[in-house]
Amino acid sequence: MKKGFVLISTLALIVVLSFLILAISRLIYNDTVKSSIYTTSIEKRIEIINSEKLFINILKNNSILLKNLSIAETELNTYAKSKYENLSISLIDYTNCFNLNTLVKPFREIYVKNDDNGNFFQNLLIYSDINKTKHREIIDRLYDSLDTDRLPEPFGAEDLFYTSQNNKSLSPDQLYFHKSQIKNLSIFEDIELRNIYDNICALPDNDIAFNINDLNNQNYLVLLSINPELSIKDIETIMLNKPINGYENFNQLIDLTSINAFKINEDFLVYEPKYLQIHYKAMYQDTFFNLFSIISLKSRSGNIIRRSISS
């Protein structure tokens, strides 16, 4: 009887140990697979980065591609598929977002607020259904978080203001590196931030520009904010009358749309992107890897502004 009990206990212990070994083996296997996939994702991103200069040159050497990004995407994807397995490329014109850094301008050796652009940004706040009672405070906080004059605005956000808040965040007193820094102002409701977030960006530039050839239903509020005399009908007219290869200049834009030239500021318009986001998407063993590059097309070299694995 006692020997039987010992035998049963031993068998039970063996079964338990077998399950433990099986579970540990599965964990080790899963970790190994994850590690392998992670390593491969890094290798693929490095491979893409090494080829990125070629992709950029394809764009920069063909003005027609830059005037029509859908054609440019097709061209890049055709080339990518001939060289790489399971790689797709998409392009977003980063010229056509409201660059938060345009709220300040260089003055001697510092940055000071740009009131005119502040008024344009207020238009965007209105179009984005941001609570009107907060407009002045939002803009003043942005001025003080971007400028370097150390002079607080009436509703500003210099360092002492930030340290007095529950969620402490020091004012950078410099140009924004990423639009997510606007969250540090701690003034937007979640729904307000969602309303405006897709139409803002942070680029190393202080001049307003809008690529009229990439005007669409997602970014038209930005064009309206910097040209408040335009109407929704004008926006539709510009999109419907755009030539296949895009508008060449301001005169052609006015001729083809018959829009009153005084309603739109020629100085704000460009006809090719100044900045682009290139989204690379690669697949390995049913797992997708992303790489996002923000590039400048303003010069022949030094094009990369930043890279990330999420947008």
Side-chain angles (χ1 to χ4, degrees), residues 103-155:
L103 292 173
V104 293
K105 58 187 176 182
F107 176 73
R108 296 178 181 172
E109 296 182 357
I110 63 173
Y111 286 106
V112 298
K113 67 178 180 179
N114 188 323
D115 286 315
D116 291 336
N117 292 355
N119 291 333
F120 296 144
F121 188 71
Q122 184 167 15
N123 293 336
L124 184 61
L125 294 176
I126 293 171
Y127 297 143
S128 303
D129 294 325
I130 307 300
N131 187 332
K132 290 183 179 181
T133 63
K134 298 195 293 189
H135 288 185
R136 187 70 262 160
E137 187 173 1
I138 290 170
I139 294 170
D140 280 358
R141 290 194 189 188
L142 280 167
Y143 283 151
D144 278 344
S145 66
L146 291 164
D147 66 29
T148 54
D149 60 12
R150 311 298 296 169
L151 300 174
E153 297 298 317
F155 295 97

Side-chain angles (χ1 to χ4, degrees), residues 23-281:
I24 292 171
S25 298
R26 183 177 294 276
L27 287 173
I28 293 173
Y29 173 77
N30 289 339
D31 287 344
T32 302
V33 170
K34 288 179 181 178
S35 178
S36 174
I37 291 175
Y38 178 74
T39 300
T40 301
S41 74
I42 294 175
E43 292 172 350
K44 286 188 173 295
R45 290 183 179 115
I46 291 173
E47 186 179 359
I48 292 170
I49 289 171
N50 289 337
S51 302
E52 189 166 51
K53 187 66 177 178
L54 180 58
F55 294 136
I56 294 173
N57 285 337
I58 290 174
L59 293 171
K60 293 175 69 173
N61 293 332
N62 193 326
S63 181
I64 292 177
L65 295 183
L66 289 177
K67 284 185 168 61
N68 193 322
L69 291 185
S70 61
I71 296 177
E73 275 189 9
T74 301
E75 185 82 9
L76 290 182
N77 279 295
T78 299
Y79 178 81
K81 283 180 172 57
S82 69
K83 298 290 183 180
Y84 306 97
E85 186 179 0
N86 298 321
L87 174 65
S88 64
I89 298 174
S90 59
L91 304 173
I92 295 178
D93 188 344
Y94 251 48
T95 314
N96 290 358
C97 48
F98 198 106
N99 179 11
L100 296 173
N101 291 326
T102 62
L103 292 173
V104 293
K105 58 187 176 182
F107 176 73
R108 296 178 181 172
E109 296 182 357
I110 63 173
Y111 286 106
V112 298
K113 67 178 180 179
N114 188 323
D115 286 315
D116 291 336
N117 292 355
N119 291 333
F120 296 144
F121 188 71
Q122 184 167 15
N123 293 336
L124 184 61
L125 294 176
I126 293 171
Y127 297 143
S128 303
D129 294 325
I130 307 300
N131 187 332
K132 290 183 179 181
T133 63
K134 298 195 293 189
H135 288 185
R136 187 70 262 160
E137 187 173 1
I138 290 170
I139 294 170
D140 280 358
R141 290 194 189 188
L142 280 167
Y143 283 151
D144 278 344
S145 66
L146 291 164
D147 66 29
T148 54
D149 60 12
R150 311 298 296 169
L151 300 174
E153 297 298 317
F155 295 97
E158 294 290 1
D159 288 348
L160 290 178
F161 171 89
Y162 274 106
T163 56
S164 69
Q165 301 302 295
N166 292 328
N167 296 321
K168 295 180 176 61
S169 173
L170 290 177
S171 167
D173 285 333
Q174 62 185 22
L175 300 185
Y176 282 179
F177 178 76
H178 192 276
K179 66 179 181 179
S180 60
Q181 290 174 265
I182 198 173
K183 298 176 183 178
N184 293 337
L185 300 182
S186 304
I187 191 170
F188 290 99
E189 300 292 335
D190 288 344
I191 189 171
E192 293 176 329
L193 196 60
R194 286 196 295 271
N195 286 347
I196 199 172
Y197 205 66
D198 287 344
N199 280 324
I200 61 175
C201 56
L203 298 167
D205 204 328
N206 302 113
D207 297 321
I208 283 180
F210 192 94
N211 177 16
I212 199 67
N213 285 319
D214 197 45
L215 173 65
N216 56 49
N217 292 329
Q218 284 72 51
N219 60 34
Y220 74 95
L221 290 180
V222 178
L223 183 62
L224 285 178
S225 70
I226 61 177
N227 294 282
E229 298 300 320
L230 289 175
S231 65
I232 295 295
K233 184 176 180 181
D234 293 330
I235 297 292
E236 293 174 348
T237 300
I238 293 171
M239 289 192 289
L240 290 174
N241 287 278
K242 187 183 79 170
I244 294 177
N245 292 330
Y247 295 107
E248 292 291 334
N249 51 50
F250 186 72
N251 289 336
Q252 185 189 38
L253 170 67
I254 299 304
D255 288 343
L256 293 178
T257 61
S258 299
I259 292 174
N260 188 327
F262 292 104
K263 296 173 70 174
I264 188 165
N265 192 327
E266 180 181 1
D267 294 336
F268 293 159
L269 297 186
V270 294
Y271 303 89
E272 295 178 358
K274 293 172 63 180
Y275 300 95
L276 274 179
Q277 174 184 274
I278 307 179
H279 176 196
Y280 305 96
K281 190 174 185 178

Side-chain angles (χ1 to χ4, degrees), residues 17-28:
L17 289 174
S18 298
F19 276 117
L20 285 174
I21 291 171
L22 182 62
I24 292 171
S25 298
R26 183 177 294 276
L27 287 173
I28 293 173

